[in-house]
């Protein structure tokens, strides 16, 4: 049908450095974000996502600087998430070169914000990030905020639908149970969300090898797959990942 | 001498990305983002970008009659590159925002993928809208802007509405997303793409270079 599935490396950025935690703790340093982004662009990344996890208040200046540097030499779509609370934050990030913003906690605290943001900037640049955790062994998942610390009581599938109705142009779905474990995506969660909504879904959380990426598309129904550590620490290149997915008959940009 | 590239600022979308890609493609060029009628009239190369809702975009143009006059005048002569809404706006009308008049320079209309997929019975099979990502572009004719770009090269798209050109002679590129649609149009000095060359890596930068070197003759 033409449209390629996407591979999106994700850079968790803390005070201007790329880091990667296992289940949201145990941070390892993975380098300078501009260098890392440049490398992924050369390897054929389809997009790059930056997630700003800086806790301090000067976060916005740091991430804006990183995005601006990257956007002046890397000409693929860039998504930025973390700490977006008002329309002005979005305007500012788009203005330094982001193409999309990813919104998580603010969407939960104030769902109307998604209506406002998509009304203002268009739904093509509003990604809603959903961090979900399975409730015991039931086929139900609950939404968490604040990097996985705060449960909300919201059902993940219902929440996904609501966010799309309000104007999300894409969903970034992370399984909190899998993130950092290298055990593969939560395919049941992905499948349930991809079949419930009409917008593209990015699968995230748990990639440990190249089969996991392919499964996200073939079994989870995802339109794009996101991974961090398998690329950061040189286990695989993006190019290898694309070749592997293409060998499984997935349409890729090679 | 450097070409004066002017990117028309209608206050929507990511103009900085377009600006940066032109700067990168041209070397240290003369690239300006502007809504000043005089600067627009005097542009060697005019870029008409746009993202978001076409109603907002056209509204900005309608509100400022001097700006609108300058843009319309400039669209009649000298190389112009439209991007995304900058393509859609060239057509007669759009389904978006409850029906919207376009500039009428390319015959045809702008439709929503959802309605096209539904009438083709594709809706239930889960084609996700917006059409977002890298898709192949089939070159329908030789054009200076396709120079050094392979047929079926992938470009980055993000849109929910697409052009349906009424005159096949204006169609220079096609893509398939459920249905086959027009993703690049050209007529005399105008060339416009539904995809985003500024976000399409090497192929996109090549198209931008081709535009900078184009004399506006098809």
């Amino acid at each position: 049908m033409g449209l390629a599935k996407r591979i999106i490396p994700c850079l968790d950025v803390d005070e201007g450095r790329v880091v990667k935690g296992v289940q949201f703790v145990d941070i390892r340093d993975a380098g300078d974000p501009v260098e890392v982004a440049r490398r992924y662009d050369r390897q054929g990344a389809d997009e790059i996502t930056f997630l700003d996890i800086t806790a301090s208040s000067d976060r916005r200046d740091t991430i804006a600087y990183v995005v601006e540097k990257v956007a002046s030499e890397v000409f693929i779509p860039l998504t930025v998430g973390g700490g977006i609370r008002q329309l002005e934050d979005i305007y500012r990030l788009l203005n330094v070169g982001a193409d999309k913003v990813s919104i998580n906690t603010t969407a939960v605290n104030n769902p109307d914000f998604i209506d406002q943001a998509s009304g203002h900037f268009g739904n093509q640049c509003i990604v809603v990030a959903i961090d979900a955790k399975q409730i015991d062994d039931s086929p139900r998942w609950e939404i968490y905020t604040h990097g996985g610390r705060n449960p909300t009581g919201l059902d993940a599938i219902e929440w996904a639908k609501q966010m799309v109705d309000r104007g999300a142009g894409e969903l970034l779905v992370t399984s909190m149970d899998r993130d950092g474990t290298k055990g593969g995506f939560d395919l049941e969660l992905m499948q349930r969300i991809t079949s419930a909504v009409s917008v593209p879904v990015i699968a995230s959380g748990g990639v440990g090898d190249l089969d996991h990426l392919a499964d996200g598309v073939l079994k989870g129904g995802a339109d794009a797959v996101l991974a961090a550590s398998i690329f950061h620490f040189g286990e695989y290149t993006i190019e290898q990942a694309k070749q592997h997915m293409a060998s499984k008959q997935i349409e890729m940009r090679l | 001498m450097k070409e004066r590239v002017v990117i028309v600022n209608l206050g929507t979308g990511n103009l900085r990305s377009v600006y940066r890609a032109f700067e990168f493609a041209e070397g240290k060029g003369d690239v300006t983002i502007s809504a000043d009628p005089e600067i627009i009239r005097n542009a060697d190369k005019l870029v008409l970008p746009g993202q978001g809702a076409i109603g907002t975009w056209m509204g900005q143009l309608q509100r400022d009659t001097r700006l609108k006059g300058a843009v319309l005048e400039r669209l009649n002569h000298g190389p112009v590159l439209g991007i995304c809404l900058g393509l859609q706006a060239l057509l007669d009308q759009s389904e978006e925002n409850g029906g919207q008049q376009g500039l009428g320079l390319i015959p045809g209309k702008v439709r929503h993928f959802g309605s096209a997929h539904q009438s083709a019975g594709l809706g239930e099979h889960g084609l996700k809208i917006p059409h977002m990502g890298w898709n192949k572009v089939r070159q329908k004719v030789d054009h200076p802007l396709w120079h050094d770009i392979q047929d079926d090269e992938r470009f980055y798209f993000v849109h929910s509405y697409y052009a349906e050109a009424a005159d096949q002679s204006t169609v220079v590129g096609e893509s398939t997303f459920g249905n086959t649609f027009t993703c690049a149009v050209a007529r005399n000095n105008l060339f416009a793409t539904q995809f985003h060359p500024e976000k399409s890596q090497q192929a996109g930068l090549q198209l931008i270079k081709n535009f900078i070197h184009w004399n506006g003759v098809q």
Side-chain angles (χ1 to χ4, degrees):
Chain A
M1 85 169 198
L3 183 66
K5 301 296 178 185
R6 292 167 278 153
I7 292 192
I8 307 175
C10 177
L11 282 58
D12 287 1
V13 180
D14 185 12
E15 294 183 359
R17 298 289 292 177
V18 180
V19 296
K20 184 61 202 172
V22 175
Q23 280 173 319
F24 287 78
V25 285
D26 185 21
I27 306 284
R28 277 168 86 183
D29 187 277
D32 168 42
V34 180
E35 281 293 322
V36 176
R38 210 179 270 153
R39 183 168 83 230
Y40 292 152
D41 175 52
R42 276 198 306 269
Q43 292 179 2
D46 296 311
E47 291 183 29
I48 297 175
T49 289
F50 298 89
L51 199 55
D52 185 17
I53 60 169
T54 311
S56 62
S57 56
D58 61 346
R59 63 189 312 165
R60 283 178 291 178
D61 293 329
T62 314
I63 197 70
Y65 174 79
V66 167
V67 173
E68 187 150 34
K69 285 274 294 203
V70 172
S72 64
E73 51 181 304
V74 168
F75 299 100
I76 57 176
L78 306 175
T79 302
V80 183
I84 292 161
R85 295 191 184 85
Q86 43 197 353
L87 294 179
E88 201 187 306
D89 297 331
I90 302 177
Y91 179 78
R92 188 184 155 88
L93 288 167
L94 295 181
N95 205 38
V96 293
D99 299 282
K100 305 186 241 184
V101 292
S102 170
I103 302 166
N104 182 342
T105 301
T106 303
V108 173
N109 291 344
N110 175 20
D112 285 342
F113 183 67
I114 301 304
D115 302 71
Q116 290 162 16
S118 65
H120 211 267
F121 301 101
N123 73 347
Q124 83 288 339
C125 67
I126 305 300
V127 182
V128 170
I130 294 179
D131 290 348
K133 202 170 194 168
Q134 192 162 13
I135 302 169
D136 301 321
D137 283 331
S138 70
R140 291 193 59 230
W141 290 261
E142 183 181 355
I143 299 295
Y144 279 67
T145 61
H146 296 87
R149 288 191 299 276
N150 300 356
T152 63
L154 293 165
D155 176 78
I157 317 297
E158 289 308 312
W159 181 245
K161 287 194 222 167
Q162 188 192 144
M163 287 295 99
V164 172
D165 288 344
R166 286 180 178 273
E170 191 171 37
L171 300 177
L172 166 57
V173 180
T174 303
S175 157
M176 308 290 309
D177 303 301
R178 300 301 180 90
D179 198 55
T181 64
K182 296 188 170 269
F185 296 122
D186 182 338
L187 295 172
E188 198 185 345
L189 168 67
M190 296 307 159
Q191 210 281 323
R192 280 175 190 260
I193 291 187
T194 54
S195 58
V197 299
S198 58
V199 301
V201 174
I202 306 167
S204 156
V207 174
D209 64 36
L210 302 184
D211 279 333
H212 292 154
L213 294 174
D215 285 347
V217 172
L218 296 173
K219 297 178 184 164
D223 302 278
V225 287
L226 179 140
S229 48
I230 62 160
F231 299 129
H232 293 341
F233 301 107
E235 284 167 71
Y236 301 100
T237 64
I238 307 262
E239 204 175 357
Q240 285 171 328
K242 287 181 140 184
Q243 292 289 353
H244 184 79
M245 291 173 77
S247 76
K248 305 249 170 181
Q249 315 307 317
I250 298 171
E251 186 147 3
M252 303 299 295
R253 176 178 74 107
L254 297 172
Chain B
M1 218 178 66
K2 292 285 185 192
E3 297 285 308
R4 275 165 307 165
V5 176
V6 178
I7 299 165
V8 179
N9 183 3
L10 290 175
T12 69
N14 192 346
L15 302 178
R16 301 301 296 182
S17 287
V18 180
Y19 175 86
R20 285 207 183 84
F22 269 85
E23 273 219 325
F24 192 89
E26 202 188 14
K28 218 173 149 48
D30 182 355
V31 187
T32 316
I33 298 177
S34 178
D36 181 323
E38 271 319 293
I39 292 175
I40 287 168
R41 275 199 186 88
N42 292 318
D44 292 323
K45 314 280 156 154
L46 194 76
V47 186
L48 204 57
Q51 253 187 343
I54 198 163
T56 316
W57 194 94
M58 286 298 290
Q60 287 291 106
L61 195 62
Q62 304 291 8
R63 203 164 302 133
D64 187 338
T65 49
R66 284 182 63 236
L67 173 64
K68 187 184 173 192
V71 169
L72 285 177
E73 188 188 310
R74 187 56 186 68
L75 290 176
N76 280 321
H77 61 87
V80 176
L81 177 65
I83 300 173
C84 197
L85 290 184
L87 179 156
Q88 297 181 5
L90 298 178
L91 281 88
D92 296 319
Q93 53 175 297
S94 171
E95 280 182 0
E96 194 174 356
N97 300 127
Q100 186 74 41
Q101 281 298 116
L103 298 172
L105 296 169
I106 303 272
K109 59 186 177 196
V110 177
R111 298 188 61 196
H112 190 258
F113 274 122
S115 50
H117 291 169
Q118 217 162 26
S119 47
L122 283 167
E124 289 161 29
H125 298 289
L127 281 180
K128 301 300 180 76
I129 298 168
H131 173 227
M132 187 187 289
W134 299 79
N135 206 335
K136 289 182 179 172
V137 172
R138 278 186 301 284
Q139 298 170 13
K140 301 299 285 181
V141 293
D142 271 339
H143 192 285
L145 265 67
W146 294 137
H147 178 69
D148 272 352
I149 297 170
Q150 283 189 348
D151 195 18
D152 275 342
E153 182 63 80
R154 288 185 188 274
F155 285 85
Y156 186 78
F157 288 83
V158 50
H159 61 123
S160 303
Y161 292 82
Y162 67 93
E164 198 174 68
D167 177 356
Q168 279 302 309
S169 75
T170 63
V171 178
V172 292
E174 279 181 352
S175 281
T176 302
F177 181 62
N179 53 306
T180 294
F181 68 95
T182 302
C183 70
V185 296
R187 187 179 181 188
N188 305 325
N189 59 313
L190 306 175
F191 190 98
T193 64
Q194 179 59 64
F195 54 82
H196 291 268
E198 77 280 12
K199 285 289 155 184
S200 297
Q201 231 198 2
Q202 290 310 319
L205 293 172
Q206 182 63 46
L207 191 141
I208 289 170
K209 272 184 210 157
N210 293 343
F211 175 66
I212 292 168
H213 294 128
W214 185 37
N215 62 4
V217 178
Q218 201 167 333

